[in-house]
């Protein structure tokens, strides 16, 4: 049984064979806007590890150092809660913006689309020519000129893939580490493996896989159907205005002249006139193509446009702002505001110093001393979350016969590091156990108290282990 038109994937032909696409390039207002967005994102993505902000790389995930730098903010391993909220913001943003703007992410921000549409295809066009020239070149014999063109093209793909692979690896190893790894691959075997893996995967994507990544690999295309509704914005064809299709001089025909310009520019090879499809990445190239035709025919642009299904069907004529106020958008929006607010408050009340007091590992919980006192051996962990070094002092809040010994006296912790210091609390055995409260201050106005239970064993026993 033959499949309906919409049940087939354009890039899969007879017997499952790949159909290679040659999308036409057409200048237009959507292309200009999208190219600007793509280049801003490309620059942000690629410069992060190579520039410094506040003495640190703008973006780096320093796994051995257990910290992450993100455009001036430093998150340490103990800041996992912030990362959880940041992940929550990403999830709610995807829900919220997809419900409002459909797959804007796919066509405008996804790295796959950014690389292919703003780096790979423009270079391919530059070397091999427009869509028909490329088709002819691929179908033709392997001449000297074809070999040279293909060699230049693939060499460029390799350079782009290698540059992205290098930058991605630098996100983890830092720029010094990644250069070291490239000069001596065995000095960072993990980093080298990541670099080779990313470069190879990107080269495969640029040279062969392309739109198949969106069609058969990326889960988001499938996931979107549950996030969209009939009021979400999506690229669509105004069937009421366009049908029946016919020649421009046919007064009985609609506005679509069936020129197929919208199909020729589509990077996933679909015909948007068949309705909303999973393959549409909302790049809006078909809007530019159709507007161009409409302008030439002196008809109103917008036969293909970004609009809601309900407005295309003329079931709801309200504007975007009014349609935005619907339960799903309000629920996602409230979720987004909630996690954002929690994150902002949490960062606002974040102390510059983190303290933790625990028993020293490898020592007994308490020890009876010769002078009828009990000693607890503790470790004070100080995390300095600011960039500059701080000097700390520790004292007992209530002396009541208790004595505190801090070897070295002053405790110095370098910026954005965590250090552990041994501290010893001694108490007359007669006082027994109970809470001990320590006050920790630094030379920059920080002061906080931290408590731990003093263990003394049984008073009758007169102490504990010796
Ligand atoms: S149908 Fe239009 S918006 Fe969708 S992928 Fe094709 S050209 Fe882009
Ligand atoms: S570009 Fe416009 S007029 Fe041409 S086929 Fe597509 S929808 Fe019809």
């Amino acid at each position: 049984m033959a499949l309906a038109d919409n049940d087939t994937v354009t890039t899969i032909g007879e017997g499952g064979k790949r159909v290679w696409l040659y999308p036409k390039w057409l200048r237009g207002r959507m292309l200009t806007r999208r190219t600007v967005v793509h280049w801003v994102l490309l620059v942000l993505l690629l410069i992060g590890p190579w520039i410094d902000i506040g003495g640190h790389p703008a973006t780096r995930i320093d796994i051995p150092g257990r910290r992450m730098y993100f455009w001036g903010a430093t998150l340490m391993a103990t800041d996992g809660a912030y990362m959880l909220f940041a992940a929550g913001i990403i999830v709610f943003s995807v829900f919220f913006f997809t419900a409002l703007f459909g797959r804007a992410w796919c066509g405008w921000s996804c790295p796959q689309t950014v690389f292919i549409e703003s780096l790979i295809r423009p270079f391919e066009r530059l070397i091999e020519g427009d869509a028909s020239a490329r088709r002819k070149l691929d179908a033709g014999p392997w001449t000297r000129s074809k070999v040279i063109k293909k060699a230049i093209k693939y060499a460029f793909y390799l350079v782009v893939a290698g540059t992205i692979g290098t930058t991605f690896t630098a996100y983890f190893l830092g720029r010094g580490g990644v250069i070291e790894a490239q000069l001596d691959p065995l000095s960072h075997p993990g980093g080298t493996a990541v670099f080779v893996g990313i470069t190879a995967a990107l080269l495969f994507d640029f040279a062969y896989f392309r739109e198949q990544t969106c069609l058969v690999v990326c889960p988001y295309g499938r996931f979107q159907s549950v996030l969209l509704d009939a009021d979400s914005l999506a690229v669509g064809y105004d069937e009421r205005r366009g049908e029946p299709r016919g020649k421009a001089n046919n007064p009985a025909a609609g506005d679509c002249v069936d020129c197929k310009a919208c199909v020729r520019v589509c990077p996933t090879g679909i015909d948007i006139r068949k309705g909303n499809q999973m393959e549409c990445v909302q790049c809006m190239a078909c809007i530019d193509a159709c507007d161009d035709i409409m302008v030439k025919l002196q008809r109103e642009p917008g036969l293909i446009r970004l609009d809601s299904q309900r407005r295309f069907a003329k079931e709801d004529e309200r504007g975007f702002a009014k349609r935005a106020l619907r339960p799903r958008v309000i629920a996602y929006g409230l979720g987004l505001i909630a996690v954002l607010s929690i994150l902002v408050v949490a960062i606002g009340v974040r102390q510059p110093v983190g303290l933790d007091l625990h028993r020293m590992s490898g020592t007994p919980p308490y020890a009876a001393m010769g002078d009828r006192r009990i000693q607890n051996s503790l470790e004070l962990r100080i995390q300095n979350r600011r960039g500059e070094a701080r000097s700390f002092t520790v004292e007992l809040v209530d002396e009541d016969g208790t004595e505190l010994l801090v070897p070295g006296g002053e405790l110095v912790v370098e910026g954005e590091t965590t250090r552990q210091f041994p501290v010893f609390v001694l108490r007359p055995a007669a006082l027994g156990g109970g809470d001990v409260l320590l006050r920790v201050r630094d030379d920059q106005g920080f002061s906080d108290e931290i408590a731990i239970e003093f263990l003394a064993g049984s008073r009758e026993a007169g102490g504990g282990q010796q």
Side-chain angles (χ1 to χ4, degrees):
M1 193 176 74
L3 286 170
D5 262 2
N6 248 1
D7 289 343
T8 58
V9 175
T10 329
T11 52
I12 300 176
E14 289 293 313
K17 216 169 154 232
R18 168 81 176 277
V19 176
W20 190 259
L21 295 176
Y22 297 90
K24 193 171 152 41
W25 182 81
L26 190 83
R27 203 184 297 277
R29 74 195 156 101
M30 292 301 177
L31 178 91
T32 307
R33 290 177 197 171
R34 203 184 63 186
T35 306
V36 170
V37 172
H38 281 187
W39 274 97
V40 169
L41 293 174
L42 256 177
V43 170
L44 287 177
L45 190 78
L46 295 180
I47 62 167
W50 306 101
I51 58 163
D52 276 356
I53 295 180
H56 297 295
T59 43
R60 183 172 174 200
I61 301 166
D62 179 1
I63 295 172
R66 294 156 60 87
R67 73 195 73 179
M68 184 172 121
Y69 303 107
F70 189 74
W71 297 98
T74 304
L75 291 177
M76 303 178 89
T78 47
D79 295 329
Y82 299 109
M83 296 194 201
L84 201 66
F85 289 126
I89 289 169
I90 292 169
V91 170
F92 275 109
S93 298
V94 167
F95 284 16
F96 179 71
F97 289 110
T98 305
L100 276 180
F101 303 111
R103 289 177 73 178
W105 160 263
C106 295
W108 291 62
S109 321
C110 173
Q112 159 75 9
T113 313
V114 172
F115 298 151
I116 296 282
E117 298 303 327
S118 291
L119 277 174
I120 298 307
R121 287 200 206 278
F123 190 79
E124 186 175 55
R125 241 180 353 257
L126 181 76
I127 300 299
E128 296 185 351
D130 64 13
S132 56
R134 294 200 303 274
R135 190 186 295 273
K136 219 167 125 193
L137 184 76
D138 283 354
W142 279 95
T143 59
R144 190 164 171 267
S145 146
K146 180 172 173 176
V147 170
I148 292 172
K149 283 180 178 175
K150 294 286 176 194
I152 295 174
K153 184 176 90 168
Y154 292 123
F156 176 78
Y157 292 173
L158 182 62
V159 169
V160 174
T163 305
I164 298 168
T166 303
T167 302
F168 185 81
T169 313
Y171 272 102
F172 294 91
L173 292 187
R175 50 183 178 257
V178 81
I179 291 168
E180 233 173 73
Q182 298 205 337
L183 295 175
D184 175 11
L186 292 181
S187 64
H188 296 273
T192 303
V194 168
F195 165 72
V196 171
I198 299 278
T199 304
L202 285 173
L203 190 60
F204 174 69
D205 185 44
F206 298 162
Y208 177 72
F209 214 50
R210 298 197 176 180
E211 77 289 338
Q212 297 301 306
T213 305
C214 310
L215 305 188
V216 300
V217 177
C218 178
Y220 180 56
R222 288 145 186 82
F223 181 54
Q224 65 157 346
S225 53
V226 293
L227 301 175
L228 293 172
D229 62 17
D231 285 304
S232 305
L233 289 181
V235 174
Y237 165 68
D238 192 339
E239 208 177 309
R240 298 167 65 96
R241 186 185 144 188
E243 303 293 315
R245 299 168 202 177
K247 295 226 179 305
N249 56 8
N250 177 358
D255 276 348
C256 176
V257 291
D258 208 14
C259 63
K260 297 194 172 56
C262 51
V263 183
R264 281 195 293 275
V265 296
C266 180
T268 60
I270 60 171
D271 184 346
I272 195 65
R273 296 173 301 168
K274 292 175 184 169
N276 206 346
Q277 291 153 69
M278 193 277 289
E279 293 94 326
C280 176
V281 293
Q282 212 157 304
C283 70
M284 304 187 200
C286 53
I287 295 181
D288 281 340
C290 190
D291 280 356
D292 185 56
I293 300 295
M294 291 297 114
V295 169
K296 282 180 185 152
L297 294 174
Q298 296 183 327
R299 293 177 182 172
E300 203 187 328
L303 177 58
I304 295 179
R305 62 180 185 271
L306 191 65
D307 213 334
S308 74
Q309 275 181 30
R310 242 196 268 281
R311 274 172 56 100
F312 276 120
K314 290 219 177 314
E315 288 168 3
D316 184 353
E317 292 293 303
R318 289 175 307 153
F320 174 74
K322 289 198 174 139
R323 280 180 299 114
L325 292 176
R326 51 192 201 273
R328 156 188 315 236
V329 177
I330 294 170
Y332 296 154
L334 287 176
L336 181 59
I337 291 169
V339 281
L340 251 174
S341 312
I342 295 171
L343 183 65
V344 168
V345 170
I347 289 175
V349 299
R350 188 187 187 220
Q351 290 272 28
V353 174
L355 298 176
D356 182 41
L357 187 60
H358 52 261
R359 297 188 193 283
M360 193 181 287
S361 59
T363 60
Y366 63 92
M369 311 305 281
D371 55 2
R372 299 196 63 76
R373 291 197 299 173
I374 305 290
Q375 174 178 290
N376 279 198
S377 305
L378 308 172
E379 253 169 2
L380 176 65
R381 200 177 65 164
I382 305 179
Q383 183 185 54
N384 180 0
R385 294 175 180 143
R386 296 284 193 263
E388 64 287 351
R390 286 167 180 255
S391 179
F392 295 87
T393 53
V394 191
E395 63 193 11
L396 282 165
V397 174
D398 300 309
E399 303 253 332
D400 67 358
T402 307
E403 190 186 350
L404 177 71
L405 291 178
V406 182
E410 205 177 37
L411 315 176
V412 177
V413 184
E414 295 303 318
E416 289 167 3
T417 49
T418 303
R419 281 193 63 193
Q420 302 214 112
F421 301 95
V423 294
F424 302 95
V425 178
L426 290 130
R427 241 182 182 184
L431 286 179
D435 275 356
V436 170
L437 197 57
L438 303 188
R439 183 178 295 121
V440 182
R441 300 179 208 260
D442 77 357
D443 52 354
Q444 293 173 43
F446 167 82
S447 175
D448 200 4
E449 290 171 3
I450 187 160
I452 192 164
E453 188 188 356
F454 187 86
L455 299 180
S458 98
R459 219 180 282 192
E460 293 75 28
Q465 302 163 47
Q466 266 185 305

